[in-house]
């Protein structure tokens, strides 16, 4: 499916969910955590030589980092 068509469909779904009142509303804390995770994943990918880690490895690393953060 074309990228623009997929975006259009997703946009309609998001708008409908907000109108219905079932859409997820991010709290500032949730948004901050999501941004932190995304930044860490992006930074980690830049340091890896040619995609050496698989997606499974990245997910495990994210889980480990989250666990480390919760312990602090």
């Amino acid at each position: 499916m074309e990228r623009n068509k997929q975006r259009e469909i997703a946009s309609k779904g998001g708008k409908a969910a907000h109108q219905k009142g079932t859409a997820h509303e991010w709290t500032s804390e949730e948004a901050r955590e999501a941004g932190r995770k995304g930044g860490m994943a992006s930074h980690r990918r830049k340091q890896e030589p040619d995609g050496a880690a698989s997606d499974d490895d990245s997910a495990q690393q994210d889980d480990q980092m989250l666990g480390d953060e919760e312990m602090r």
Side-chain angles (χ1 to χ4, degrees):
M1 180 182 301
E2 290 183 26
R3 186 175 217 126
N4 287 338
K5 183 68 172 175
Q6 188 174 3
R7 285 184 65 138
E8 183 181 325
I9 292 169
S11 176
K12 287 179 181 179
K15 289 176 183 178
H18 277 281
Q19 286 179 342
K20 187 177 176 183
T22 59
H24 179 74
E25 301 272 338
W26 290 77
T27 65
S28 60
E29 182 60 32
E30 287 174 318
R32 186 178 308 112
E33 180 68 12
R36 185 188 67 78
K37 282 182 166 183
M40 291 173 75
S42 175
H43 183 71
R44 186 172 42 253
R45 279 193 305 271
K46 290 178 183 177
Q47 292 179 340
E48 292 174 357
D50 298 329
S54 70
D55 289 338
D56 291 336
D57 291 340
S58 295
Q60 288 174 350
Q61 289 172 354
D62 287 343
D63 290 344
Q64 287 173 351
M65 280 193 261
L66 180 59
D68 292 345
E69 288 293 321
E70 289 174 350
M71 294 176 76
R72 290 182 189 169

